[in-house]
Amino acid sequence: RISTSGIATGSTIDSPILRKDVSLRGSQVGVTSALFDSSDNALEFNDNVKLKLGNSGDLSIYHDGNNSVIENATADLNLISTGDDITLSSADDILLQVDTNKAAVNAKGLGEVILYYNAAPKFETTNHGAVVTGILTATGFSGPTNNTSGISTFYDLRVSNNLTVEGTTTTLDTNLIG
């Protein structure tokens, strides 16, 4: 137990046990930058006080008064969920939410990724490609169009070589030339 008033000096204290609130002060005298609040077991940081990690302080976590920020100054920022479930179930997901119970992105443990709009799934990766719920709009397309299913609509369709139609075709108001 140490009790002082004024300036105190001493030798190194090994493994101190602090049972009450502990204030950590920054550069301004009397202003607490961080506080360990023993009543709710929380290390609380004031706005714009950064928790820095790494030998060079490359990773910072802080709140600037408006936004909560994770700032990475070098290389990639990796979010890794290893969980404790060896079957890679939902416990291994990385879920980004915009509000409680409103998913925006869910990277699932087995490799599936789901993108949401207004908490509704719109784009899901699968082991054979992707599933889009709703309308997919693209400025271009590359790849084969064989074995397509569903409804396909083309405007100003131009066929340069042979046109093969499989199945029944209904043609309305069409002029064939050549």
Side-chain angles (χ1 to χ4, degrees):
R1 179 175 204 153
I2 301 172
S3 237
T4 63
S5 63
I7 299 174
T9 61
S11 61
T12 302
I13 301 172
D14 292 331
S15 302
I17 298 172
L18 307 170
R19 291 183 167 74
K20 301 285 183 178
D21 293 353
V22 177
S23 296
L24 305 173
R25 302 188 188 274
S27 59
Q28 297 175 334
V29 176
V31 176
T32 300
S33 297
L35 167 74
F36 177 77
D37 186 348
S38 62
S39 65
D40 66 356
N41 284 331
L43 182 57
E44 300 169 353
F45 291 81
N46 285 349
D47 289 348
N48 295 306
V49 175
K50 296 180 179 183
L51 173 63
K52 289 190 171 188
L53 303 168
N55 288 345
S56 300
D58 298 330
L59 178 67
S60 297
I61 300 172
Y62 63 96
H63 183 76
D64 66 9
N66 294 311
N67 301 297
S68 297
V69 179
I70 299 174
E71 181 180 339
N72 183 32
T74 57
D76 296 335
L77 175 64
N78 298 314
L79 300 177
I80 301 170
S81 177
T82 58
D84 57 1
D85 185 357
I86 60 170
T87 62
L88 294 176
S89 68
S90 62
D92 300 315
D93 293 0
I94 295 177
L95 181 63
L96 301 178
Q97 294 177 295
V98 294
D99 198 357
T100 304
N101 298 322
K102 289 187 180 178
V105 178
N106 188 357
K108 299 180 100 32
L110 293 175
E112 177 184 13
V113 176
I114 304 170
L115 302 179
Y116 297 82
Y117 177 82
N118 198 21
K122 295 298 178 183
F123 185 90
E124 302 176 50
T125 62
T126 66
N127 63 341
H128 57 273
V131 175
V132 176
T133 303
I135 298 171
L136 178 63
T137 303
T139 57
F141 176 80
S142 176
T145 57
N146 60 333
N147 295 323
T148 59
S149 63
I151 300 172
S152 298
T153 304
F154 297 93
Y155 295 95
D156 300 326
L157 176 64
R158 181 175 300 183
V159 178
S160 299
N161 291 312
N162 298 325
L163 173 63
T164 303
V165 178
E166 297 177 1
T168 305
T169 319
T170 303
T171 307
L172 301 173
D173 297 329
T174 301
N175 294 322
L176 297 176
I177 301 171

